[in-house]
Amino acid sequence: MPLDFSVIEKFISDYREALTDKLLLRHERYRILVMLRDKLQVLLENFEIFEAGITSVLLNKIKKATTYKELKICHNKAVDGIAEFFLDNPTITDVHDLFRINRDAITVRVLQLVEEEMKADGFESPLTEYVWIGLGSEGRDEQTILTDQDNMIVYDTGSGRYKSGFVEQYYEIFSNKVMERLSDVGFEKCKGGVMPSNDKWRGSVQTWKKRLEDRITYENGSFEDLDIIILTDARPIKGNRKLLGEVMAPFFRLLNENKHVMKEFIKSSILTLCNPGIGLFCHIHGRIFRNFYIGEQLSIIPFNPVQIKTGKLNRRNLFLSEHFPQCFYIQIK
């Protein structure tokens, strides 16, 4: 039974005549209200059973898991449970939320187990503070049944406590282990290489700052136009969130100071991702904007939980509009 208001709407429809009868005695009114209460009680009890199973019970198993095989079983159960929930409750926002809760927990546990592996290999682990970050659908809280790894890592260098290159070597090994372990539990490897096992998506705060400045200000380095757009989806999963803030604050400042470059990034990315229904996220002036394909235009509007509308995108007539004081648009001919 879906957790929505249809049970109330049906009840009102079935008893409309009685509900408008001004001559009903109090005992009859009471009987009708008891029937509604019983229907709601069954609905709420079924939901509480589901919620307890897919969140509380399963999350507890994830936290206590000691092997990747156990985590894979938990992931499969979460996918099956959420898919079943969706059949009765076709609300995509709930699906996104449930996948975020469970997959974040699995990712956190994988990271903890890999930290233990690193200790067993003779490393101090974690070597320094770090933050593991979700990108793509994981960063946007838009995961569905099928998922792949879209991640990056930012770490602290340890303020000179370690020899040059040692911290970098540690996080290279760590990131590769995490990539394999996430694959073991059911998170497919990203075909586009958006994973910290790739040097481009791994680095210290200082490395990330230089990487972004080189690309945005000087148009140099390994980062590409699409990478800049992907980075705007960044969401911390585990670790010191302040490290991500130290990267993202100057990143958004650079974008605001180089809007002409940002236009080219978006333009290039749209041509790369020119399929109906694909949404990009931009973070401008401290506000999150979601892009919508509507007919032949792509609008960027302040984020709110409304349904994405899709339509045919005409490359010859594409407009990008940003709804904040310094508006601009791009027409691709």
Side-chain angles (χ1 to χ4, degrees), residues 222-284:
S222 60
F223 245 44
E224 301 173 4
D225 294 352
L226 182 57
D227 297 330
I228 294 294
I229 300 299
I230 290 172
L231 185 58
T232 61
D233 291 331
R235 179 177 67 87
I237 306 296
K238 179 186 182 297
N240 187 343
R241 296 177 174 227
K242 290 182 180 179
L243 295 174
L244 177 60
E246 290 178 35
V247 171
M248 299 304 281
F251 169 55
F252 292 132
R253 185 172 61 250
L254 283 169
L255 292 183
N256 283 320
E257 292 172 352
N258 297 273
K259 287 191 173 63
H260 64 288
V261 177
M262 186 60 186
K263 292 179 186 180
E264 292 303 316
F265 288 156
I266 298 175
K267 179 179 176 181
S268 173
S269 299
I270 294 302
L271 292 176
T272 302
L273 299 174
C274 213
N275 290 308
I278 292 178
L280 301 175
F281 276 66
C282 297
H283 195 305
I284 310 294

Side-chain angles (χ1 to χ4, degrees), residues 16-204:
R16 188 175 303 279
E17 185 176 346
L19 293 174
T20 57
D21 187 350
K22 302 296 184 182
L23 300 178
L24 277 183
L25 292 174
R26 64 187 181 281
H27 300 296
E28 293 171 314
R29 296 196 300 272
Y30 176 81
R31 181 181 60 81
I32 292 173
L33 290 173
V34 166
M35 286 191 293
L36 176 59
R37 181 197 65 189
D38 292 344
K39 288 180 179 292
L40 291 175
Q41 188 65 34
V42 170
L43 174 67
L44 294 174
E45 286 177 356
N46 288 340
F47 172 74
E48 287 164 4
I49 292 170
F50 165 79
E51 191 73 14
I54 203 67
T55 56
S56 301
V57 175
L58 194 54
L59 288 178
N60 191 47
K61 288 183 179 179
I62 291 170
K63 290 176 182 177
K64 293 181 177 180
T66 57
T67 67
Y68 300 106
K69 183 178 180 180
E70 291 176 70
L71 288 175
K72 184 172 184 177
I73 292 171
C74 289
H75 182 230
N76 290 339
K77 285 184 177 179
V79 170
D80 291 344
I82 295 169
E84 185 177 347
F85 172 83
F86 183 69
L87 293 176
D88 283 335
N89 299 268
T91 55
I92 195 64
T93 51
D94 279 331
V95 169
H96 292 161
D97 182 61
L98 288 166
F99 274 124
R100 175 187 57 79
I101 291 170
N102 284 277
R103 285 179 174 151
D104 276 11
I106 291 171
T107 300
V108 168
R109 189 59 185 141
V110 166
L111 289 163
Q112 291 170 342
L113 291 177
V114 171
E115 288 173 7
E116 292 176 12
E117 283 189 57
M118 296 294 284
K119 286 181 181 178
D121 290 343
F123 290 97
E124 177 187 348
S125 186
L127 190 65
T128 63
E129 288 194 320
Y130 73 89
V131 57
W132 188 268
I133 299 151
L135 301 168
S137 60
E138 183 180 4
R140 297 190 302 268
D141 288 346
E142 291 184 342
Q143 294 183 81
T144 53
I145 291 174
L146 299 177
T147 189
D148 65 353
Q149 299 178 42
D150 290 304
N151 301 108
M152 60 182 274
I153 189 171
V154 181
Y155 53 81
D156 182 66
T157 56
S159 302
R161 288 186 291 129
Y162 302 100
K163 291 181 179 180
S164 177
F166 181 67
V167 176
E168 289 75 11
Q169 181 185 18
Y170 169 87
Y171 281 107
E172 180 180 0
I173 297 170
F174 178 79
S175 297
N176 276 282
K177 280 182 176 287
V178 175
M179 175 191 69
E180 295 297 339
R181 298 317 186 193
L182 286 174
S183 178
D184 290 343
V185 303
F187 297 11
E188 290 187 9
K189 297 175 184 177
C190 176
K191 293 180 176 62
V194 184
M195 300 175 290
S197 54
N198 181 343
D199 293 351
K200 186 165 59 173
W201 295 102
R202 182 182 73 247
S204 66

Side-chain angles (χ1 to χ4, degrees), residues 211 213-223:
R211 183 178 295 155
E213 184 179 17
D214 285 348
R215 182 64 191 92
I216 297 171
T217 304
Y218 305 110
E219 300 186 30
N220 294 320
S222 60
F223 245 44

